[in-house]
Amino acid sequence: MRIYFLIILFLSLIGPERSFAQTSTVSLDPMTEFIYSLSEVVFSNPFRKEETEIRKRIQETNSSEIRDLRIQLKNILRSQSISTNDAKSKNQKLTALTQVLEELPSLGGFLLKEDTGTVYQWGDWSDFYEDGFSLEKLRLEGQIPSFPYESGTIYFYIKNPPGSFPAEFSFLGWESHFYAFGDEGSLRYTNDFHLDPSERLGDFRKAFDSVRKKFSGSHILTANDLTIFIVPGEPKPIYYVFLFLRFFLIGWTILLALYIVRMSLSPPKNHLPEESPRLS
């Protein structure tokens, strides 16, 4: 039991981030995994824990949507037998491609670019150009989803269908509101259905300054091609239970550690009976 006490003491000092990193990289026995899980629940800040969960789920959802759309576009180009020459000549194949792209609800823009410049463009790319209007210089070119195609590169970005926002982000902790915007400025994910889906990143960033004054802890995160705004909510009653348990265990751990240190540094007591005085 001494070794498990030391593990709990160690986890309480290094924090939940370190313990999470260790559990994700090292294979542990069930008892140790249980202690790590308990320490995360008890010692971690519930708001930070929720923030980590929100960021992870948004990234997973975003990566999945990008992957699925990339597969769709590759299949369309393959089935339509589109070449870069078709794009340059703007023939009937390109017209058919444009009609197919318009039927993809999650596609915001499609762009075929070669070293000599842009060959074909569909959708609004004005927010991605370095100077706001050039068709040659893409801003954050390495960050925009892309894949090679013949002698050029296909770039694309996602937009949400109107009113379509994933909302399954509930878990134990604080009930924060989050707002994730894409690089082109449109709202991608949120759990606040009172917000206008047409809200743009620039306008929301300006309004967020006043939100920060009302709700302490509100802040901005970046995750790949997304800008995430998080506004903490009111803590649930269970939060105070864990908060009390957290301080109780931390105090108990410190007192027990001090007691062990004190006992180890105390000089040993002489338990031998004292010598009786001799009578003369």
Side-chain angles (χ1 to χ4, degrees), residues 61-70 158 160 188-189:
T61 304
N62 189 45
S63 298
S64 177
E65 289 187 357
I66 290 176
R67 181 178 62 252
D68 293 343
L69 185 56
R70 182 185 289 112
I158 294 178
N160 268 20
R188 290 286 311 283
Y189 309 111

Side-chain angles (χ1 to χ4, degrees), residues 220-251:
I220 305 174
L221 302 174
T222 56
N224 295 333
D225 58 332
L226 298 174
T227 301
I228 306 172
F229 299 81
I230 297 183
V231 181
E234 294 296 328
K236 298 179 181 179
I238 191 65
Y239 162 74
Y240 296 102
V241 175
F242 282 121
L243 183 64
F244 170 77
L245 185 60
R246 177 184 183 184
F247 284 118
F248 173 78
L249 289 181
I250 291 177

